Amino acid sequence: MSSRRSRSRQSSSGRITDQQIDDLMSKLQSLLHEARHGSHDRASAAKVLQDTCSYIRSLHREVDDLSERLSELLDAAGASSAQAAIIRSLLM
Amino acid sequence: MEDMGDWNLAGYLKGFWWEESSLRLGMTISNGDGDSAAKDGGRERKRKRRAEPSLVKWKTEGEQKTYSSKLIEALRRVRGSSAAGAASATTDHSRGRAVREAADRALAAAARGRTRWSRAILCGRTLKRRVLPRAGRPKPVGRARAAERSKPPALKTKARVLGRLVPGCRKLPLPSLLEEVSDYIAALEMQVRAMSAIAEALSAVGGAPSAALAEGPM
């Protein structure tokens, strides 16, 4: 336990500072969103949280749309064609 | 119970996750062997009780194929039950919702119960989420609470919104929440990829309407 405290840099009592939290949070989220945002500077932690919320919401919407589409396709598909489609999708 | 105590997680994670996270983030996310790196970090520090969920697995083809087959089985059951039940009662939306729930359950199962969001999904579908004993989780100690107080309120509200978006993460302190969020996002992305692939395959075949799928043995 003491080695943990001695290794934390800026905190005297072993507490994590806001700066550390913000730094690591920005880094974590930017790693997730590297494909989407390119490499420009993400300034504030609030923006990062905001972007993450929007992204999760859009992912949820996409999954909902895909679910609707799949439910329609499932109803329309025949037995053998569904089998063929399933095998094909698994092999892809 | 003491070893895996959730209430220790905040301070526990803060204590070493933050120091190691910069190292581990680089390793787990950009390298292929991120999983072993996370585990090695856990073995040399005996305090580490559980391995960090690696994000790389959500990107592998194998994981996606496993998920796809689980999902297709679940979808077959959905189709069977909706055809057998009162056809008039099922609308597009209720079928879509059944598909969504099956997809989420399969996704949570793929997580192998190592993340909070996956456990919450698996429990939440059978029981109402309210029934789960939340009181069993003691509040974090003053150390974590003091740290929370110093955060600006704008950040706190946004973090709370984020916590509501991820299943089972409403009351999580920020470090744990961010970990769950990153795993959840990676899993959702895989879910989207898998469902798109299945939809593409099914729509490419097209097909005549048939009830045979419900009764025919596959």
Side-chain angles (χ1 to χ4, degrees), chain A residues 35-46:
Chain A
R36 301 174 65 229
H37 294 292
S39 54
H40 60 82
D41 225 18
R42 273 156 292 274
S44 74

Side-chain angles (χ1 to χ4, degrees), chain A residues 25-49:
Chain A
M25 185 174 70
S26 303
K27 177 165 184 180
L28 172 65
Q29 307 293 20
S30 63
L31 281 171
L32 273 177
H33 299 154
E34 61 191 356
R36 301 174 65 229
H37 294 292
S39 54
H40 60 82
D41 225 18
R42 273 156 292 274
S44 74
K47 179 93 173 37
V48 163
L49 285 180

Side-chain angles (χ1 to χ4, degrees), chain B residues 97-98 100-106 108 118-129 132 167 184 191:
Chain B
R97 205 174 313 128
R100 168 83 200 262
E101 291 190 359
D104 286 346
R105 260 199 308 265
S118 59
R119 293 193 290 268
I121 288 182
L122 291 175
C123 298
R125 302 299 181 181
T126 45
L127 317 165
K128 290 288 180 190
R129 237 173 278 150
L132 287 181
Y184 187 53
Q191 185 180 37

Side-chain angles (χ1 to χ4, degrees), chain B residues 114-153:
Chain B
R114 299 169 83 199
T115 49
R116 193 175 291 264
W117 64 263
S118 59
R119 293 193 290 268
I121 288 182
L122 291 175
C123 298
R125 302 299 181 181
T126 45
L127 317 165
K128 290 288 180 190
R129 237 173 278 150
R130 309 272 158 79
V131 177
L132 287 181
R134 286 200 179 277
R137 183 174 175 272
K139 285 185 68 69
V141 221
R143 178 174 47 171
R145 217 182 287 143
E148 279 174 30
R149 237 183 277 126
S150 58
K151 292 200 191 78

Side-chain angles (χ1 to χ4, degrees), chain A residues 4 7 16 18 24-25 29 46 50 55 60 62-64 67-69 74-78 81 88 90 92, chain B residues 14-15 18 45 65 72 79 93 95-96 100 150 155 158 178 184 189 191-192 199-201 205 207-208:
Chain A
R4 177 173 77 191
R7 241 179 281 170
I16 302 300
D18 285 343
L24 288 168
M25 185 174 70
Q29 307 293 20
Q50 182 76 39
Y55 186 45
H60 280 169
E62 217 175 328
V63 171
D64 279 335
S67 304
E68 292 281 344
R69 196 173 151 204
L74 281 176
D75 288 334
S81 59
R88 188 176 312 127
L90 287 179
M92 280 192 309
Chain B
K14 277 181 178 175
W18 293 106
R45 308 177 68 110
K65 287 209 189 326
I72 284 168
R79 199 181 190 282
H93 280 303
R95 269 197 307 271
R100 168 83 200 262
S150 58
L155 261 189
K158 291 207 192 322
L178 293 180
Y184 187 53
E189 289 173 341
Q191 185 180 37
V192 165
E200 284 306 305
V205 175

